[in-house]
Amino acid sequence: MATREMGPGELATLARKRYQRRLYIGLIIFGAVIGSLIGAFDTHPHEGGPSLWHITGLQLSPAIAIIGAIGLLIGLIGLPLYMFRTIDELAARRNLRGLAAGWLAVLGGYPAWFVLSAGGLAPAPTALGLFLLGYGVTLVTFIILKWRD
């Protein structure tokens, strides 16, 4: 079978895939650095060692807290906004629909959770719980939309 040179569309696709792979590796490293920084400088003693579920007892020095907050804002707001500029219309629509679903989950979930808590049927809402609700619904919605398209 004769080999042929790749056309401009195939070359562009390969370049896009390489860019995405490098970006995702960079994002994983960035997240690991921020998480490690916050975990390494936690001054609150935890019984049985540190754990993700002890995050509400996190205690940091002001300097580390500022660095961590800036890193989280860059990673959770700045980089997604940058990535919106580099993706196609279909992926942008999927992302926006996922973000809308996550926002609506928090917007409706908090009052419902609060009322259930007032009735003794659930624990009181927490910031971590609301974050996980919004993030989880956003992620699940995005995955469903990507699988469906």
Side-chain angles (χ1 to χ4, degrees):
M1 180 173 196
T3 60
R4 63 172 180 81
E5 289 195 29
M6 288 193 268
E10 292 169 313
L11 290 171
T13 299
L14 285 175
R16 183 178 48 82
K17 286 183 179 182
R18 273 194 309 272
Y19 170 78
Q20 283 180 332
R21 188 173 34 253
R22 288 181 188 142
L23 180 66
Y24 290 143
I25 290 169
L27 292 173
I28 290 168
I29 292 169
F30 183 76
V33 167
I34 296 298
S36 297
L37 176 77
I38 290 171
F41 288 97
D42 182 7
T43 60
H44 185 265
H46 302 287
E47 292 181 23
S51 162
L52 171 66
W53 306 115
H54 291 119
I55 197 165
T56 55
L58 185 66
Q59 293 178 353
L60 300 170
S61 71
I64 296 300
I66 290 170
I67 292 168
I70 290 170
L72 287 168
L73 290 171
I74 290 169
L76 295 173
I77 297 173
L79 290 172
L81 287 175
Y82 167 75
M83 289 173 63
F84 266 110
R85 294 180 39 222
T86 64
I87 59 176
D88 63 23
E89 298 83 20
L90 181 62
R93 191 179 88 218
R94 249 188 256 124
N95 285 328
L96 288 173
R97 290 174 75 189
L99 289 169
W103 169 245
L104 290 172
V106 172
L107 189 66
Y110 173 76
W113 189 356
F114 183 78
V115 169
L116 290 172
S117 172
L121 300 170
T126 64
L128 178 61
L130 291 172
F131 174 78
L132 292 174
L133 173 66
Y135 198 86
V137 169
T138 299
L139 183 63
V140 168
T141 302
F142 176 81
I143 289 169
I144 289 169
L145 292 172
K146 185 159 178 73
W147 178 72
R148 201 175 67 176
D149 286 341

